[in-house]
Amino acid sequence: KVFDKAHIVVAAASPIKAKKLLRILKVRQCSIYLNLKEANTMTKNEFLNSSEAANFLFNEGAMRAIVTNGEYYASSRCEKGLYTIVPSKIELRINTGAGDIFLASHLMSTFFNADLCPQKHLAFAEKTVRSEIAQSF
């Protein structure tokens, strides 16, 4: 009962862990962050893009589903609709940590700027990743 009103945020972190998460969505409204490979593994589907995956996860019970796909589209689906951005092209030597930066900055944006539209949260997260990666080199 203590968690009935809690907003739970789930990050799959790997395709293997993602398999176990679909049940959580059906039981409790939560936000979920996945990349496209994790979404495909979790749902046993072969989504062609992040928008398809985010829509599916929202329809399965997620309050908010954020699905990334590397240099391709990143999508967010919530009660306000589906929002998609194309990340800026940046030269990378390594991309380790980009997903963690994206997740943290997206969460920060939604927490501190709840009144913004979902598109702005995605844009903020993408801009933060670009800035942090650029400063790394």
Side-chain angles (χ1 to χ4, degrees):
K1 298 279 184 197
V2 75
F3 291 110
D4 285 348
K5 294 184 182 181
H7 180 151
I8 296 174
V9 177
V10 179
S14 79
I16 293 169
K17 292 176 186 170
K19 289 180 184 179
K20 301 174 182 179
L21 297 176
L22 191 57
R23 194 174 78 193
I24 293 171
L25 294 182
K26 294 180 184 212
V27 173
R28 173 176 297 284
Q29 291 275 301
C30 61
S31 295
I32 187 160
Y33 290 80
L34 302 155
N35 64 39
L36 188 60
K37 184 176 182 180
E38 292 163 345
N40 284 333
T41 300
M42 176 182 171
T43 63
K44 298 179 183 162
N45 282 304
E46 288 297 322
F47 300 113
L48 298 177
N49 56 57
S50 61
S51 297
E52 287 181 2
N55 264 327
F56 181 89
L57 294 165
F58 178 79
N59 290 329
E60 286 295 304
M63 184 171 81
R64 180 183 300 127
I66 296 87
V67 181
T68 61
N69 190 15
E71 66 186 82
Y72 304 105
Y73 299 101
S75 299
S76 172
R77 177 66 166 97
C78 64
E79 74 281 351
K80 294 181 180 179
L82 175 68
Y83 299 87
T84 300
I85 63 165
V86 179
S88 301
K89 299 278 185 192
I90 54 175
E91 186 102 12
L92 294 177
R93 293 182 202 151
I94 61 168
N95 63 0
T96 302
D100 295 335
I101 295 168
F102 182 88
L103 184 144
S105 58
H106 190 275
L107 279 172
M108 185 178 74
S109 182
T110 59
F111 182 75
F112 289 110
N113 303 301
D115 57 328
L116 291 179
C117 78
Q119 185 85 14
K120 298 232 186 241
H121 297 304
L122 284 174
F124 176 81
E126 188 273 334
K127 182 179 177 183
T128 304
V129 170
R130 189 170 8 105
S131 173
E132 289 298 316
I133 296 293
Q135 290 179 14
S136 299
F137 299 102

